[in-house]
């Protein structure tokens, strides 16, 4: 998974993550107001063929995500 993230106000935090894929939930954070690319490697398998990808920003301000991309590694 690759995505570009930023927050409206530097110092706040936005998260991109993946869960429910058969492994431990993983996330990456960005705290800058300029776009930053994040990457998460995860593997689905024979018994887990789907995943939940999410963008999360806690209270106040705005978090932005763009160009979410799933790719085969």
């Amino acid at each position: 998974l690759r995505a570009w993230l930023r927050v409206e106000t530097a110092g706040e935090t936005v998260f991109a993550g993946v869960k429910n894929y058969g492994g431990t939930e993983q996330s990456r954070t960005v705290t800058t107001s300029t776009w930053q690319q994040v990457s998460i490697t995860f593997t689905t398998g024979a018994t887990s063929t789907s995943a939940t990808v999410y963008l999360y920003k806690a209270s106040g301000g705005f978090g932005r995500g763009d160009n979410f991309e799933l790719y085969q590694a």
Side-chain angles (χ1 to χ4, degrees):
L1 168 69
R2 284 189 292 246
W4 290 86
L5 309 178
R6 74 179 184 93
V7 290
E8 200 69 26
T9 304
E12 295 184 350
T13 304
V14 63
F15 299 82
V18 61
K19 61 184 180 179
N20 302 327
Y21 65 94
T24 304
E25 180 176 349
Q26 298 185 63
S27 66
R28 300 292 182 270
T29 61
V30 168
T31 59
T32 64
S33 58
T34 57
W35 290 103
Q36 302 291 317
Q37 188 177 46
V38 297
S39 180
I40 300 172
T41 300
F42 67 98
T43 303
T44 59
T47 59
S48 295
T49 57
S50 65
T52 302
V53 173
Y54 63 88
L55 178 70
Y56 172 76
K57 168 72 175 70
S59 63
F62 294 98
R64 308 215 189 273
D66 200 4
N67 293 342
F68 278 75
E69 190 177 6
L70 289 174
Y71 61 94
Q72 186 172 351

